[in-house]
Amino acid sequence: MKFYFPEDFLWGTACSACQIEAASSADGKGENVWDHYSKVRPESFLGTSPDDCADFYHHYKEDIRLMKEMGMKIFRFSISWARIFPNGPENINQKGIDYYNDLINTFQENGIRLMLDLFHCDLPMWVIDRGGIKCRDFIDWFTSYAKVCFEKFGDRVMLWSTVNEPSLNVFAAYNSAFTAPYERDLKSAILASHNMLIAHFRAVKLYHSMNLGGKIGAVNYIGPYYTKTLDPKDEEAAMRGFANHSGWWLEPMMTGHYPENIVHYPRYADNMPENYAKELSSEFAKMDFIGINYYNPFFAVNNDEAPLGFSGYEDDTLPIDEYGFRHYPAGLFDTVIFLKERYGNPEMYITENGLSVKREKFEEPTPTNDTQRIKYMRDHIRSVSRCIEAGANLKGYMNWTIMDTYEGHAGYTCDFGLIQVDFVTKKRTPRDSYYYYQDIIKHNSVN
Ligand code: NOJ
């Protein structure tokens, strides 16, 4: 069996600044939420520090060489906001600009294109100190940061993403204390999400007005919502599950409206900011592509007693990895086809998909012989090919991730890397999956 890909298909990997850079105070960088809370709430980070990670900040030349040797066409990465604006929206840190200029140039010299995220987990601490995302000023802070990035780097960046997984990094940060600012308040979560959406629209509008030749979108954690029966009530419940998760972001980002099937439930209606619908539609600017982080499917059934009329459940028949993700490669296909139908076949990228193997000890990376990861990749990449075969406008696949990372709240326990990193010596060693991926890219096909 062989699955082929279009000539211009973008094979890549994805990663983020705060998970591989380290150098948390180098060259004038300000503190971000992971730097800060890993010190003051060590229990939320398994007692670890982001400073012990791969140190991509100093090793990027060597790492980009390995990426090039693998044949990678695109790298999805993020800019650390606190390197550009260390202590407030007033002062730009020139050294931060210089650093990312060097980095971007090195990618360019090596023929690797970039997708850059503006906000991937690492909010600067000054944003939190001045009121966080739920503060209305956030919209201006974010837009001026985006403007600087577009002006300084935009001539060499193919794709931009405003935000990564806002369902977790914004909504759940305020509603279930998933990350900073560790609030548990639904109204705050809804307000922060609304501000993030307006900030996203402003950045999209601004980017389009600058005519830099690239595209702008956002990256969401998305999976298909399945249900137990063929009863339309269950089907509708599953759609409410989708709307309450990635749909809360995707619907506004693609249509300018909050999901109509849930926004009138009291859980939302009683907590929405004033004039939310009018503001959302008047600020709306359609993004150019959807970034899909696909790890697992979701399940929901009708439940008239539940606040949004559905309850989630687990399908125990699917294999589960040590990270807690249930594997279902066909779910990648279903997700892409669902988005194709729902939003008129927009440009799409798989912006994350990958397998974590548990690292038991910080000093002992998981082996380079990673057959399990290879199988995972094969099965998911076959699904990618089927999406294209079915006519989906899917332009690229980015594996999570190029090298072992810092997982924030899970510390150093999750090795996702195609390249093994010894965090003590910083030695890099490609795993078998690195060579497997190299082969897929070289032949532009998977068996
Ligand atoms: C999604 C996030 O974007 C990324 O930061 C994280 O490391 C992976 N998922 C794995 O959990």
Side-chain angles (χ1 to χ4, degrees), residues 142-424:
F142 185 83
T143 318
S144 43
Y145 160 55
K147 182 163 186 274
V148 169
C149 293
F150 300 155
E151 280 170 358
K152 304 286 181 188
F153 315 129
D155 55 336
R156 289 151 291 156
V157 175
M158 179 190 180
L159 301 166
W160 290 94
S161 150
T162 52
V163 58
N164 171 68
E165 296 198 351
S167 57
L168 293 175
N169 290 302
V170 182
F171 201 101
Y174 281 90
N175 186 43
S176 56
F178 169 77
T179 181
Y182 302 100
E183 268 194 50
R184 285 178 195 277
D185 180 57
L186 180 61
K187 210 179 181 85
S188 299
I190 292 173
L191 182 59
S193 302
H194 186 73
N195 288 347
M196 184 69 243
L197 282 167
I198 305 294
H200 160 88
F201 292 147
R202 299 247 177 115
V204 169
K205 223 174 274 173
L206 174 69
Y207 183 71
H208 285 158
S209 74
M210 291 171 78
N211 290 318
L212 288 161
K215 292 184 175 166
I216 186 161
V219 169
N220 279 287
Y221 176 24
I222 318 177
Y225 267 82
Y226 298 114
T227 189
K228 272 190 180 153
T229 72
L230 296 177
D231 184 339
K233 276 189 149 191
D234 276 341
E235 297 285 349
E236 282 163 21
M239 284 310 293
R240 288 195 293 279
F242 163 76
N244 183 49
H245 179 219
S246 34
W248 193 253
W249 300 90
L250 274 175
E251 284 291 292
M253 286 172 170
M254 295 304 286
T255 70
H257 304 287
Y258 282 108
E260 277 159 15
N261 57 346
I262 57 167
V263 74
H264 300 300
Y265 278 76
R267 177 181 154 88
Y268 283 114
D270 295 351
N271 290 298
M272 296 301 282
E274 238 173 273
N275 291 326
Y276 69 87
K278 215 166 144 211
E279 188 180 33
L280 203 75
S281 57
S282 66
E283 293 273 355
F284 173 62
K286 195 167 174 186
M287 60 183 180
D288 305 319
F289 68 86
I290 298 181
I292 304 162
N293 288 357
Y294 177 73
Y295 289 95
N296 58 294
F298 299 90
F299 304 91
V301 280
N302 186 61
N303 175 357
D304 292 333
E305 309 297 311
L308 295 172
F310 76 90
S311 302
Y313 70 97
E314 288 279 311
D315 180 345
D316 301 332
T317 62
L318 295 178
I320 188 164
D321 66 27
E322 286 144 348
Y323 197 88
F325 289 134
R326 289 206 184 266
H327 294 182
Y328 188 57
L332 185 152
F333 177 83
D334 291 349
T335 301
V336 170
I337 300 304
F338 170 75
L339 298 175
K340 169 180 180 279
E341 310 279 293
R342 190 168 183 86
Y343 300 119
N345 206 8
E347 187 163 317
M348 292 176 270
Y349 295 86
I350 301 297
T351 39
E352 283 186 37
N353 171 246
L355 175 75
S356 141
V357 179
K358 185 155 192 203
R359 183 184 289 226
E360 300 289 349
K361 281 199 191 134
F362 174 80
E363 309 80 35
E364 284 175 22
T366 53
T368 53
N369 168 348
D370 56 348
T371 326
Q372 210 192 339
R373 181 172 292 110
I374 289 176
K375 181 177 179 316
Y376 178 99
M377 289 171 75
R378 184 199 65 189
D379 294 348
H380 285 84
I381 291 173
R382 283 179 174 180
S383 273
V384 171
S385 161
R386 292 187 178 111
C387 296
I388 299 166
E389 195 63 25
N393 194 10
L394 185 60
K395 298 286 195 190
Y397 170 86
M398 295 162 225
N399 180 272
W400 185 274
T401 175
I402 185 66
M403 70 185 87
D404 292 336
T405 50
Y406 182 54
E407 261 296 314
H409 302 95
Y412 291 98
T413 61
C414 309
D415 284 355
F416 274 98
L418 304 180
I419 299 174
Q420 178 197 68
V421 180
D422 180 327
F423 293 128
V424 180

Side-chain angles (χ1 to χ4, degrees), residues 21-25 35 39 49-55 406 412 426:
E21 277 185 351
S24 69
S25 53
D35 301 326
K39 287 185 201 119
S49 153
D51 256 332
D52 294 324
C53 73
D55 195 15
Y406 182 54
Y412 291 98
K426 309 299 177 202

Side-chain angles (χ1 to χ4, degrees), residues 1-11 69-73 381 385 434-447:
M1 223 176 349
K2 245 195 192 335
F3 298 77
Y4 295 93
F5 292 83
E7 276 291 300
D8 57 353
F9 191 71
L10 287 171
W11 295 107
E69 277 168 24
M70 194 172 70
M72 234 169 76
K73 311 270 184 245
I381 291 173
S385 161
Y434 168 99
Y435 297 107
Y436 175 71
Y437 200 31
Q438 185 179 52
D439 209 54
I440 290 179
I441 300 174
K442 186 168 158 215
H443 296 104
N444 210 20
S445 66
V446 67
N447 287 327

